[in-house]
Amino acid sequence: QVQLVESGGGLVQSGGSLRLSCAASRIAYRINNIGWYRQAPGKQRELVASITEGGTRNYADSVKGRFTISRDNAKNTVYLQMNSLKPEDTAVYYCNADRVWRGSEAYDDVWGQGTQVTVSS
């Protein structure tokens, strides 16, 4: 079974920084396009940032200039650097891959378990 594993969440003060990581559970997997989503209590899950396998990035307006998404294809890992954090960034953050390859096998719409980010004012 293919899994994505997020890490790096935690509690930080307003204005602080965190870096989230998302890795395939096994190094042999290859990840296509991947996105970071977040869901705050009582709100719908929203796309925060995405990056294609080729490195094209997109960001939600609410995080432009503060968050940076990047990937290390050799490590099958995607990062979300979050700077100038605000209390409204508090949410559970999930990574999602549209397709993960294990050799010739493809697994679509793969999600991680989520990591909590809490920003105190």
Side-chain angles (χ1 to χ4, degrees), residues 14-93:
S14 182
S17 298
L18 284 173
R19 188 176 83 153
L20 306 183
S21 299
C22 172
S25 54
R26 296 189 180 185
I27 197 68
Y29 294 159
R30 185 182 121 230
I31 303 173
N32 282 161
N33 306 324
I34 195 161
W36 281 100
Y37 291 76
R38 67 186 180 187
Q39 187 166 21
K43 294 187 176 181
Q44 289 189 332
R45 191 171 295 187
E46 62 173 348
L47 179 63
V48 174
S50 64
I51 187 167
T52 66
E53 191 172 12
T56 299
R57 299 170 174 84
N58 282 290
Y59 298 95
D61 289 342
S62 59
V63 306
K64 281 181 181 177
R66 300 188 298 121
F67 290 11
T68 302
I69 190 170
S70 61
R71 64 190 295 163
D72 183 337
N73 289 335
K75 295 181 179 179
N76 286 328
T77 301
V78 178
Y79 305 97
L80 185 67
Q81 177 68 43
M82 305 185 296
N83 298 328
S84 302
L85 283 161
K86 305 174 181 180
E88 51 263 44
D89 295 317
T90 296
V92 178
Y93 284 70

Coordinates of all heavy atoms in Angstrom, one line a residue, residues 14-93:
S14 N 2.9 33.6 16.3 CA 2.6 34.5 15.1 C 3.9 35.1 14.6 O 4.7 35.6 15.4 CB 1.6 35.5 15.4 OG 1.3 36.3 14.3
G15 N 4.1 35.1 13.3 CA 5.4 35.6 12.7 C 6.5 34.6 12.6 O 7.5 34.8 12.0
G16 N 6.3 33.4 13.2 CA 7.3 32.4 13.1 C 7.2 31.5 11.9 O 6.5 31.8 10.9
S17 N 8.1 30.5 11.8 CA 8.2 29.7 10.6 C 8.2 28.2 11.0 O 8.5 27.8 12.1 CB 9.6 30.0 9.9 OG 9.6 31.3 9.5
L18 N 7.7 27.4 10.0 CA 7.8 26.0 10.1 C 8.0 25.4 8.7 O 7.7 26.1 7.7 CB 6.4 25.4 10.6 CG 6.1 25.5 12.1 CD1 4.6 25.0 12.3 CD2 7.0 24.7 12.9
R19 N 8.6 24.2 8.7 CA 8.8 23.6 7.4 C 8.2 22.2 7.5 O 8.6 21.4 8.3 CB 10.3 23.4 7.0 CG 10.4 22.9 5.6 CD 11.9 22.9 5.1 NE 12.5 21.7 5.5 CZ 13.6 21.1 4.9 NH1 14.0 21.7 3.8 NH2 14.2 20.0 5.3
L20 N 7.2 22.0 6.6 CA 6.6 20.7 6.5 C 7.2 19.8 5.5 O 7.7 20.3 4.4 CB 5.1 20.8 6.2 CG 4.3 21.7 7.1 CD1 2.8 21.7 6.6 CD2 4.4 21.4 8.5
S21 N 7.3 18.5 5.7 CA 7.8 17.6 4.7 C 6.7 16.5 4.4 O 5.9 16.2 5.3 CB 9.0 16.9 5.3 OG 10.1 17.8 5.5
C22 N 6.8 16.0 3.2 CA 5.9 15.0 2.7 C 6.7 14.0 1.9 O 7.2 14.4 0.9 CB 4.7 15.6 1.9 SG 3.7 14.4 1.1
A23 N 6.7 12.8 2.4 CA 7.5 11.8 1.7 C 6.7 10.5 1.4 O 5.8 10.2 2.2 CB 8.8 11.4 2.5
A24 N 7.0 9.9 0.3 CA 6.5 8.6 0.0 C 7.0 7.6 1.0 O 8.2 7.7 1.4 CB 6.8 8.2 -1.4
S25 N 6.2 6.6 1.3 CA 6.6 5.7 2.4 C 7.8 4.8 2.0 O 8.5 4.3 2.9 CB 5.5 4.8 2.8 OG 4.9 4.2 1.7
R26 N 8.1 4.7 0.7 CA 9.2 4.0 0.3 C 10.0 4.8 -0.8 O 9.4 5.4 -1.6 CB 8.8 2.6 -0.3 CG 8.2 1.7 0.8 CD 8.0 0.3 0.3 NE 7.4 -0.5 1.3 CZ 7.1 -1.8 1.1 NH1 7.5 -2.4 0.0 NH2 6.6 -2.5 2.1
I27 N 11.3 4.7 -0.7 CA 12.1 5.6 -1.6 C 11.9 5.2 -3.0 O 12.2 6.0 -3.9 CB 13.6 5.4 -1.1 CG1 14.4 6.6 -1.7 CG2 14.2 4.1 -1.5 CD1 14.1 7.9 -1.2
A28 N 11.5 4.0 -3.3 CA 11.4 3.5 -4.7 C 10.2 4.2 -5.4 O 10.0 4.0 -6.6 CB 11.3 2.0 -4.8
Y29 N 9.3 4.8 -4.7 CA 8.1 5.4 -5.3 C 8.5 6.7 -6.0 O 9.4 7.4 -5.6 CB 7.1 5.7 -4.3 CG 6.5 4.5 -3.6 CD1 5.8 4.6 -2.4 CD2 6.5 3.3 -4.2 CE1 5.3 3.5 -1.7 CE2 6.0 2.1 -3.6 CZ 5.4 2.3 -2.4 OH 4.8 1.2 -1.7
R30 N 7.8 7.0 -7.1 CA 7.9 8.3 -7.8 C 6.6 9.1 -7.7 O 5.6 8.5 -8.0 CB 8.3 8.0 -9.2 CG 8.6 9.3 -10.0 CD 9.0 9.0 -11.5 NE 8.1 9.6 -12.4 CZ 7.4 9.0 -13.4 NH1 7.5 7.8 -13.6 NH2 6.6 9.7 -14.1
I31 N 6.7 10.3 -7.4 CA 5.5 11.1 -7.2 C 5.3 12.1 -8.4 O 6.3 12.7 -8.8 CB 5.6 11.9 -5.9 CG1 5.8 11.0 -4.7 CG2 4.3 12.8 -5.7 CD1 6.1 11.7 -3.4
N32 N 4.1 12.1 -8.9 CA 3.8 13.1 -10.0 C 3.5 14.5 -9.3 O 4.3 14.9 -8.5 CB 2.7 12.6 -10.9 CG 3.2 11.6 -11.9 OD1 2.4 10.8 -12.4 ND2 4.5 11.5 -12.1
N33 N 2.4 15.1 -9.7 CA 2.1 16.4 -9.1 C 1.6 16.2 -7.7 O 0.9 15.2 -7.3 CB 0.9 17.0 -9.9 CG 1.3 17.1 -11.4 OD1 2.4 17.3 -11.8 ND2 0.3 16.8 -12.3
I34 N 1.9 17.2 -6.9 CA 1.6 17.1 -5.5 C 1.1 18.4 -4.9 O 1.6 19.4 -5.4 CB 2.8 16.5 -4.6 CG1 2.3 16.0 -3.3 CG2 3.9 17.5 -4.5 CD1 3.3 15.1 -2.6
G35 N 0.2 18.4 -4.0 CA -0.3 19.6 -3.4 C -0.3 19.5 -1.9 O -0.4 18.4 -1.3
W36 N -0.2 20.6 -1.3 CA -0.5 20.8 0.2 C -1.8 21.4 0.4 O -2.1 22.4 -0.2 CB 0.6 21.7 0.8 CG 1.9 21.0 1.1 CD1 3.0 21.1 0.3 CD2 2.2 20.1 2.2 NE1 4.0 20.3 0.9 CE2 3.5 19.7 2.0 CE3 1.5 19.7 3.3 CZ2 4.2 18.9 2.9 CZ3 2.1 18.8 4.2 CH2 3.4 18.4 4.0
Y37 N -2.6 20.8 1.2 CA -4.0 21.2 1.5 C -4.0 21.5 3.0 O -3.2 21.0 3.8 CB -5.0 20.2 1.2 CG -5.3 19.9 -0.3 CD1 -4.3 19.2 -1.0 CD2 -6.4 20.4 -0.9 CE1 -4.5 19.0 -2.4 CE2 -6.6 20.2 -2.3 CZ -5.7 19.5 -3.0 OH -5.9 19.2 -4.3
R38 N -5.0 22.3 3.4 CA -5.2 22.4 4.9 C -6.7 22.5 5.2 O -7.5 22.9 4.3 CB -4.5 23.7 5.4 CG -5.1 25.0 4.9 CD -4.2 26.2 5.4 NE -4.7 27.5 4.9 CZ -4.1 28.6 5.0 NH1 -2.9 28.6 5.6 NH2 -4.6 29.8 4.6
Q39 N -7.0 22.1 6.4 CA -8.4 22.1 6.8 C -8.4 22.6 8.3 O -7.9 22.0 9.2 CB -9.0 20.8 6.7 CG -10.5 20.8 7.0 CD -11.2 19.5 6.6 OE1 -10.6 18.5 6.4 NE2 -12.5 19.6 6.4
A40 N -9.1 23.8 8.5 CA -9.3 24.3 9.8 C -10.6 23.8 10.3 O -11.5 23.4 9.6 CB -9.3 25.8 9.7
P41 N -10.8 23.8 11.6 CA -12.0 23.4 12.2 C -13.2 24.1 11.7 O -13.2 25.3 11.6 CB -11.8 23.6 13.7 CG -10.4 23.6 13.9 CD -9.8 24.2 12.7
G42 N -14.2 23.3 11.2 CA -15.5 23.9 10.7 C -15.3 24.5 9.3 O -16.3 25.1 8.8
K43 N -14.2 24.3 8.7 CA -14.0 24.8 7.3 C -13.7 23.7 6.3 O -13.3 22.6 6.7 CB -12.9 25.9 7.3 CG -13.2 27.1 8.1 CD -12.1 28.2 7.9 CE -12.4 29.4 8.6 NZ -11.4 30.5 8.4
Q44 N -13.9 24.0 5.1 CA -13.6 23.0 4.0 C -12.1 22.9 3.8 O -11.4 23.9 4.0 CB -14.3 23.4 2.7 CG -15.8 23.2 2.8 CD -16.4 23.4 1.4 OE1 -15.9 24.2 0.5 NE2 -17.6 22.8 1.2
R45 N -11.7 21.8 3.3 CA -10.3 21.6 3.0 C -10.0 22.5 1.8 O -10.7 22.6 0.8 CB -10.0 20.2 2.7 CG -8.5 19.8 2.5 CD -8.3 18.3 2.4 NE -8.7 17.6 3.7 CZ -8.5 16.3 3.9 NH1 -7.9 15.6 3.0 NH2 -9.0 15.8 5.0
E46 N -8.8 23.2 1.8 CA -8.5 24.1 0.7 C -7.0 23.8 0.3 O -6.2 23.4 1.1 CB -8.6 25.6 1.2 CG -7.7 25.9 2.3 CD -7.7 27.4 2.6 OE1 -8.2 28.2 1.8 OE2 -7.1 27.8 3.7
L47 N -6.8 24.0 -1.0 CA -5.5 23.9 -1.6 C -4.6 25.1 -1.2 O -5.0 26.2 -1.5 CB -5.6 23.7 -3.1 CG -4.2 23.6 -3.8 CD1 -3.5 22.3 -3.4 CD2 -4.5 23.6 -5.3
V48 N -3.5 24.8 -0.7 CA -2.5 25.9 -0.3 C -1.5 26.1 -1.3 O -1.2 27.3 -1.7 CB -1.9 25.5 1.1 CG1 -0.8 26.6 1.5 CG2 -2.9 25.4 2.2
A49 N -0.9 25.1 -1.8 CA 0.2 25.2 -2.8 C 0.3 23.8 -3.5 O 0.0 22.8 -3.0 CB 1.5 25.5 -2.1
S50 N 0.8 23.9 -4.7 CA 1.0 22.7 -5.5 C 2.3 22.8 -6.3 O 2.7 24.0 -6.6 CB -0.2 22.4 -6.4 OG -0.3 23.4 -7.4
I51 N 2.8 21.7 -6.7 CA 4.0 21.7 -7.5 C 4.0 20.5 -8.4 O 3.6 19.4 -8.0 CB 5.3 21.7 -6.7 CG1 6.6 21.8 -7.5 CG2 5.4 20.4 -5.8 CD1 7.8 22.1 -6.7
T52 N 4.3 20.7 -9.7 CA 4.3 19.6 -10.7 C 5.6 18.8 -10.6 O 6.6 19.3 -9.9 CB 4.1 20.1 -12.1 OG1 5.2 20.9 -12.4 CG2 2.8 20.9 -12.2
E53 N 5.7 17.7 -11.2 CA 6.9 16.9 -11.2 C 8.0 17.7 -11.9 O 9.2 17.6 -11.5 CB 6.7 15.6 -12.0 CG 7.9 14.6 -11.8 CD 7.6 13.3 -12.3 OE1 6.6 13.1 -13.1 OE2 8.4 12.3 -12.0
G54 N 7.7 18.6 -12.8 CA 8.7 19.4 -13.4 C 9.0 20.7 -12.7 O 9.9 21.4 -13.1
G55 N 8.3 21.0 -11.6 CA 8.7 22.1 -10.7 C 7.8 23.3 -10.8 O 8.1 24.3 -10.2
T56 N 6.7 23.3 -11.6 CA 5.9 24.4 -11.7 C 5.0 24.6 -10.4 O 4.4 23.6 -10.0 CB 4.9 24.3 -12.9 OG1 5.7 24.2 -14.1 CG2 4.0 25.5 -13.0
R57 N 5.0 25.8 -9.9 CA 4.4 26.0 -8.6 C 3.1 26.9 -8.7 O 3.1 27.8 -9.5 CB 5.4 26.7 -7.6 CG 6.6 25.9 -7.3 CD 7.6 26.8 -6.6 NE 8.8 26.1 -6.2 CZ 9.9 25.8 -6.9 NH1 9.9 26.3 -8.2 NH2 10.9 25.2 -6.4
N58 N 2.2 26.6 -7.8 CA 1.0 27.5 -7.7 C 0.7 27.7 -6.2 O 0.9 26.7 -5.4 CB -0.2 26.9 -8.4 CG -0.1 27.1 -9.9 OD1 -0.2 28.3 -10.4 ND2 0.1 26.1 -10.7
Y59 N 0.2 28.8 -5.9 CA -0.1 29.1 -4.5 C -1.5 29.8 -4.3 O -2.0 30.5 -5.2 CB 0.9 30.1 -3.9 CG 2.3 29.6 -3.9 CD1 3.2 29.9 -4.9 CD2 2.8 28.9 -2.8 CE1 4.5 29.5 -4.9 CE2 4.1 28.4 -2.8 CZ 4.9 28.7 -3.9 OH 6.2 28.2 -3.8
A60 N -2.1 29.5 -3.2 CA -3.3 30.2 -2.9 C -3.0 31.7 -2.6 O -1.9 32.0 -2.1 CB -4.0 29.6 -1.7
D61 N -3.9 32.6 -2.9 CA -3.6 34.0 -2.6 C -3.3 34.3 -1.2 O -2.4 35.2 -0.9 CB -4.8 34.9 -3.1 CG -5.0 34.9 -4.6 OD1 -4.0 34.6 -5.3 OD2 -6.1 35.3 -5.0
S62 N -3.9 33.6 -0.3 CA -3.7 33.8 1.1 C -2.3 33.5 1.6 O -1.9 33.9 2.7 CB -4.7 33.0 1.9 OG -4.5 31.6 1.7
V63 N -1.5 32.7 0.9 CA -0.1 32.4 1.3 C 1.0 32.9 0.4 O 2.1 32.7 0.7 CB 0.0 30.8 1.5 CG1 -1.1 30.3 2.4 CG2 0.0 30.1 0.2
K64 N 0.6 33.5 -0.7 CA 1.6 34.0 -1.6 C 2.6 34.9 -0.9 O 2.2 35.8 -0.2 CB 1.0 34.7 -2.8 CG 0.4 33.8 -3.9 CD -0.2 34.5 -5.0 CE -0.8 33.6 -6.1 NZ -1.4 34.3 -7.2
G65 N 3.8 34.7 -1.2 CA 4.9 35.6 -0.6 C 5.3 35.1 0.8 O 6.3 35.6 1.4
R66 N 4.5 34.2 1.4 CA 4.9 33.7 2.7 C 5.3 32.2 2.7 O 6.1 31.8 3.5 CB 3.7 33.9 3.7 CG 3.3 35.3 3.9 CD 2.2 35.4 5.0 NE 1.0 34.7 4.7 CZ 0.5 33.7 5.5 NH1 1.2 33.4 6.6 NH2 -0.6 33.1 5.2
F67 N 4.6 31.4 1.9 CA 4.9 30.0 1.8 C 5.7 29.7 0.5 O 5.4 30.3 -0.5 CB 3.6 29.2 1.8 CG 2.8 29.2 3.1 CD1 3.1 30.0 4.1 CD2 1.7 28.3 3.2 CE1 2.4 30.0 5.3 CE2 1.0 28.3 4.4 CZ 1.4 29.2 5.4
T68 N 6.5 28.6 0.6 CA 7.2 28.2 -0.6 C 7.2 26.7 -0.6 O 7.5 26.0 0.3 CB 8.7 28.6 -0.6 OG1 8.8 30.0 -0.5 CG2 9.4 28.2 -1.8
I69 N 6.7 26.1 -1.8 CA 6.7 24.7 -2.0 C 7.9 24.3 -2.8 O 8.3 25.0 -3.8 CB 5.4 24.2 -2.6 CG1 5.2 22.7 -2.6 CG2 5.2 24.8 -4.0 CD1 3.8 22.2 -3.0
S70 N 8.5 23.2 -2.5 CA 9.7 22.7 -3.2 C 9.7 21.2 -3.2 O 8.9 20.6 -2.4 CB 11.0 23.3 -2.7 OG 11.2 22.9 -1.3
R71 N 10.5 20.6 -4.0 CA 10.5 19.1 -4.0 C 12.0 18.6 -4.3 O 12.7 19.3 -5.0 CB 9.6 18.5 -5.0 CG 9.8 18.8 -6.4 CD 8.6 18.4 -7.3 NE 8.5 16.9 -7.3 CZ 7.4 16.3 -7.7 NH1 6.3 17.0 -8.1 NH2 7.3 14.9 -7.6
D72 N 12.3 17.5 -3.7 CA 13.5 16.8 -4.0 C 13.2 15.5 -4.6 O 12.8 14.5 -3.9 CB 14.3 16.6 -2.7 CG 15.7 16.0 -2.9 OD1 15.9 15.3 -3.9 OD2 16.6 16.2 -2.1
N73 N 13.2 15.4 -5.9 CA 12.8 14.2 -6.6 C 13.6 12.9 -6.3 O 13.1 11.8 -6.3 CB 12.7 14.4 -8.1 CG 11.6 15.3 -8.5 OD1 10.6 15.4 -7.8 ND2 11.7 16.0 -9.7
A74 N 14.9 13.2 -6.0 CA 15.8 12.1 -5.6 C 15.3 11.4 -4.3 O 15.6 10.2 -4.1 CB 17.2 12.6 -5.5
K75 N 14.7 12.2 -3.4 CA 14.3 11.7 -2.1 C 12.8 11.5 -2.1 O 12.2 11.1 -1.1 CB 14.7 12.7 -1.0 CG 16.1 12.9 -0.8 CD 16.4 13.9 0.3 CE 17.9 14.0 0.6 NZ 18.2 15.0 1.7
N76 N 12.1 11.7 -3.2 CA 10.6 11.6 -3.3 C 10.0 12.4 -2.1 O 9.1 11.9 -1.5 CB 10.2 10.2 -3.2 CG 10.5 9.5 -4.5 OD1 10.4 10.1 -5.6 ND2 10.8 8.2 -4.5
T77 N 10.5 13.6 -1.9 CA 10.0 14.4 -0.8 C 9.6 15.8 -1.3 O 10.3 16.4 -2.1 CB 11.1 14.5 0.3 OG1 11.4 13.2 0.8 CG2 10.6 15.3 1.5
V78 N 8.5 16.3 -0.7 CA 8.0 17.6 -1.0 C 8.0 18.4 0.3 O 7.6 17.9 1.3 CB 6.7 17.6 -1.7 CG1 6.1 19.0 -2.0 CG2 6.7 16.8 -3.0
Y79 N 8.4 19.7 0.2 CA 8.5 20.5 1.4 C 7.5 21.7 1.2 O 7.2 22.2 0.1 CB 9.9 21.0 1.5 CG 10.9 20.0 1.6 CD1 11.7 19.6 0.4 CD2 11.2 19.3 2.8 CE1 12.6 18.6 0.5 CE2 12.2 18.3 2.8 CZ 12.9 18.0 1.7 OH 13.8 17.0 1.7
L80 N 7.1 22.2 2.4 CA 6.3 23.5 2.4 C 7.0 24.3 3.5 O 6.8 24.0 4.7 CB 4.8 23.2 2.7 CG 4.0 24.5 2.7 CD1 3.9 25.0 1.2 CD2 2.6 24.2 3.2
Q81 N 7.7 25.3 3.0 CA 8.3 26.3 3.9 C 7.3 27.4 4.2 O 6.8 28.0 3.3 CB 9.6 26.9 3.3 CG 10.2 27.9 4.2 CD 10.8 27.4 5.5 OE1 11.4 26.3 5.5 NE2 10.6 28.1 6.6
M82 N 7.0 27.6 5.5 CA 5.9 28.5 5.9 C 6.6 29.6 6.8 O 7.1 29.3 7.9 CB 4.8 27.8 6.6 CG 4.2 26.6 5.9 SD 2.8 25.9 6.7 CE 3.5 25.3 8.2
N83 N 6.6 30.8 6.3 CA 7.1 31.9 7.0 C 6.0 32.9 7.3 O 5.0 32.9 6.8 CB 8.2 32.6 6.2 CG 9.4 31.7 5.9 OD1 9.7 30.8 6.6 ND2 10.0 31.9 4.7
S84 N 6.3 33.8 8.2 CA 5.4 34.9 8.7 C 4.0 34.3 9.0 O 3.0 34.8 8.5 CB 5.3 35.9 7.5 OG 6.5 36.5 7.3
L85 N 4.0 33.2 9.7 CA 2.8 32.5 10.0 C 1.8 33.4 10.8 O 2.2 34.2 11.7 CB 3.1 31.2 10.8 CG 3.6 30.1 9.9 CD1 4.3 29.0 10.7 CD2 2.5 29.5 9.1
K86 N 0.5 33.2 10.5 CA -0.5 33.9 11.2 C -1.5 33.0 11.9 O -1.6 31.8 11.5 CB -1.3 34.7 10.1 CG -0.5 35.6 9.2 CD -1.4 36.2 8.1 CE -0.6 37.1 7.2 NZ -1.4 37.7 6.1
P87 N -2.2 33.4 12.9 CA -3.2 32.5 13.5 C -4.2 31.9 12.6 O -4.6 30.7 12.8 CB -3.9 33.5 14.5 CG -2.8 34.5 14.8 CD -2.1 34.7 13.5
E88 N -4.5 32.6 11.5 CA -5.4 32.0 10.5 C -4.8 30.9 9.7 O -5.5 30.2 8.9 CB -6.0 33.1 9.6 CG -5.0 34.0 9.0 CD -4.8 35.3 9.7 OE1 -4.7 35.3 11.0 OE2 -4.7 36.3 9.0
D89 N -3.5 30.7 9.8 CA -2.9 29.5 9.2 C -3.1 28.2 10.0 O -2.7 27.1 9.5 CB -1.4 29.8 9.0 CG -1.1 30.9 8.0 OD1 -1.8 31.0 7.0 OD2 -0.2 31.7 8.3
T90 N -3.6 28.3 11.2 CA -3.8 27.2 12.0 C -4.8 26.2 11.3 O -5.9 26.5 10.9 CB -4.4 27.6 13.4 OG1 -3.4 28.4 14.1 CG2 -4.8 26.4 14.2
A91 N -4.3 24.9 11.2 CA -5.1 23.9 10.5 C -4.4 22.6 10.5 O -3.2 22.6 10.9 CB -5.4 24.3 9.0
V92 N -5.0 21.6 10.1 CA -4.3 20.3 9.8 C -3.9 20.4 8.3 O -4.7 20.7 7.4 CB -5.2 19.1 10.0 CG1 -4.4 17.8 9.6 CG2 -5.6 19.0 11.5
Y93 N -2.6 20.1 8.1 CA -2.1 20.2 6.7 C -1.9 18.8 6.2 O -1.3 17.9 6.9 CB -0.7 21.0 6.7 CG -0.9 22.5 6.9 CD1 -1.4 23.0 8.1 CD2 -0.7 23.3 5.8 CE1 -1.6 24.4 8.2 CE2 -0.9 24.7 5.9 CZ -1.3 25.2 7.1 OH -1.5 26.6 7.2

